[in-house]
Amino acid sequence: MHSKWNLGSIGLKTATLLGFLFIHIPILIIIMYAFSTDEKTFQFPLPGFTTKWFGVALERNDIWEAIILSSQVALVSTFIAIFLGTLACLAVYRSQFFGKEIISFLVILPIALPGIVTGISLRSAMSLFGIPFSTWTIVIAHATFCIVTVYNNVLARLRRSSHSMVEASMDLGANPWQTFRFVILPNIATALLAGGMLSFALSFDEVIVTTFTAGQQSTVPIWMLTEFIRPRQRPVTNVVAVFVILVTTIPILVAYYLTKEDDGRKK
C-alpha cells in the first residue's frame, strides 16, 4: 500500500509539474526574447543578449501614452466597480425577494460571456444611444466585468461573516450608516481591496472588449496587438509584455495573500 501511495504521489507531482511548465513556459519565452539582440525574428538559441530594448521602450512616447491610458482606465473602472459592486452585493445578500437568484446571475453574467459577445453588445448599445467612442466608453465597458470581481469577493466574505454583529450594532442604537462604517466595512475591507486589485489587473490587460469600445485610443494591449504584427523591433513589444506581466501579476498576488491571510484568521 505504501509503495502504491508513493507511485501515486510521484505521478501527481509529475502531472503538476507538467501543467505548471505548460502554463508558464510561454511567459518565460516572452521574457527571454525581451533580451534578444535580434530585431525581427524569433531565433533560438538567441543570437545574443542585450538590455537596450528596455531603454528604447522607455524613450517611446506612444508606449507611455498607452501605459497612462491603460492605468487611467483601470483605476477609474476599479473605483466604479468597488462602489457599484459593493452596493449590489449589500442589496442582494441579506434581502429575500422574488427573482433574487436571477439578479445575482445577471450581475455575474458579463464575466461569464465570451469577450467578443460582450464587446459586440456594448458597441451596439453605445451606437444605438449615440454615445461617441472615447476613453469613457472603455471605462464603462471595463466596469461591467470588474463589478463582478468585487461583487463575488464581497459576497464570499459576507457569507463567512456572522450577521449577529450587524444585529447587535442596530440593537445598540447605531443607524444603518454607522453600522456600515464601523461594523460591515472593516469586515469586508480586505475583500474590497482584493477585488479592487483583481479588477485593476483584469482591466489593464483587457483587449477584446476594448477593441470594440475604443475610438482612436490605444491601450497597452491594443498597442501590443498592433505592433506585434509588424516585423520591427519585436523585442520592444516583448519588453512591454514583461511590464504588463508585472503590472497584472503583482495585484493578483496581493489579492491572493489578502484573502489567504483572512481565511487563516477566520479559522
Side-chain angles (χ1 to χ4, degrees):
M1 179 67 70
H2 183 70
S3 177
K4 291 182 179 179
W5 174 255
N6 285 337
L7 290 174
S9 178
I10 292 172
L12 182 60
K13 290 178 180 178
T14 302
T16 303
L17 178 60
L18 291 175
F20 182 84
L21 293 175
F22 180 79
I23 294 171
H24 291 94
I25 282 180
I27 299 175
L28 295 176
I29 291 175
I30 290 293
I31 296 173
M32 179 180 65
Y33 278 111
F35 296 92
S36 175
T37 55
D38 185 28
E39 298 184 15
K40 297 182 179 180
T41 62
F42 291 98
Q43 298 182 29
F44 187 84
L46 299 183
F49 288 88
T50 181
T51 58
K52 77 170 185 176
W53 302 115
F54 288 83
V56 172
L58 289 173
E59 293 175 357
R60 288 186 53 170
N61 291 330
D62 56 337
I63 294 177
W64 282 109
E65 290 172 0
I67 290 174
I68 292 172
L69 178 61
S70 288
S71 301
Q72 291 173 340
V73 169
L75 285 172
V76 177
S77 300
T78 298
F79 281 117
I80 293 174
I82 290 175
F83 180 72
L84 295 181
T86 303
L87 291 181
C89 184
L90 294 175
V92 169
Y93 172 57
R94 293 299 297 182
S95 302
Q96 296 296 331
F97 54 89
F98 178 76
K100 175 180 177 179
E101 297 302 324
I102 295 177
I103 291 178
S104 295
F105 173 75
L106 292 175
V107 171
I108 65 174
L109 185 61
I111 206 169
L113 290 173
I116 191 169
V117 174
T118 304
I120 292 174
S121 61
L122 285 169
R123 186 174 184 87
S124 300
M126 291 170 182
S127 298
L128 180 64
F129 290 103
I131 301 175
F133 294 101
S134 63
T135 301
W136 287 107
T137 55
I138 303 175
V139 169
I140 294 170
H142 286 200
T144 58
F145 57 81
C146 288
I147 287 174
V148 182
T149 305
V150 176
Y151 178 86
N152 285 337
N153 273 272
V154 175
L155 185 61
R157 179 63 49 79
L158 288 174
R159 285 174 174 171
R160 296 196 303 269
S161 304
S162 174
H163 190 64
S164 60
M165 294 187 297
V166 176
E167 295 174 343
S169 175
M170 302 295 284
D171 289 341
L172 291 172
N175 58 43
W177 166 246
Q178 291 173 324
T179 301
F180 173 76
R181 180 181 176 185
F182 295 109
V183 179
I184 298 177
L185 187 58
N187 197 36
I188 65 173
T190 54
L192 283 175
L193 185 57
M197 291 284 186
L198 292 173
S199 296
F200 183 90
L202 286 173
S203 175
F204 193 89
D205 67 358
E206 211 306 310
V207 61
I208 300 177
V209 175
T210 308
T211 302
F212 285 96
T213 56
Q216 300 300 317
Q217 297 76 20
S218 179
T219 60
V220 171
I222 292 180
W223 179 91
M224 291 175 61
L225 187 64
T226 303
E227 289 290 316
F228 204 68
I229 60 178
R230 302 173 183 173
R232 61 176 187 180
Q233 294 187 342
R234 284 185 174 174
V236 177
T237 308
N238 293 329
V239 168
V240 178
V242 172
F243 174 76
V244 172
I245 290 170
L246 292 175
V247 169
T248 55
T249 300
I250 292 174
I252 291 173
L253 286 174
V254 172
Y256 170 76
Y257 281 107
L258 282 173
T259 54
K260 181 180 179 181
E261 290 176 3
D262 187 76
D263 288 342
R265 288 195 296 269
K266 292 293 181 182
K267 292 178 181 179

